Amino acid sequence: MEISSLSVAMPSGSINTGLDYVMLSKALDTVQDTGDALAKMMEAAVTGLGGQLDLMV
């Protein structure tokens, strides 16, 4: 590979790496938001649990 072609190929690789980082960062933010929403839904569903105890004698 010639040096001139290598110098042209390297910046495009760094751009792709930067884009990959941005896309993964956005995906991580989305997963965290979804997890937070799921945790809130689960907490809301549990309210009142254990408040009563039914005994049959």
Side-chain angles (χ1 to χ4, degrees):
M1 179 176 258
E2 294 179 2
I3 298 215
S4 60
S5 61
L6 181 61
S7 67
V8 170
M10 286 181 68
S12 65
S14 66
I15 290 171
N16 288 338
T17 302
L19 181 61
D20 292 343
Y21 176 78
V22 170
M23 293 298 292
L24 286 174
S25 176
K26 182 63 178 168
L28 179 60
D29 291 343
T30 303
V31 169
Q32 287 176 336
D33 291 343
T34 304
D36 290 342
L38 182 60
K40 286 180 184 176
M41 280 181 18
M42 291 172 67
E43 288 174 3
V46 177
T47 58
L49 243 166
Q52 297 176 1
L53 179 63
D54 295 336
L55 296 175
M56 298 182 81
V57 182

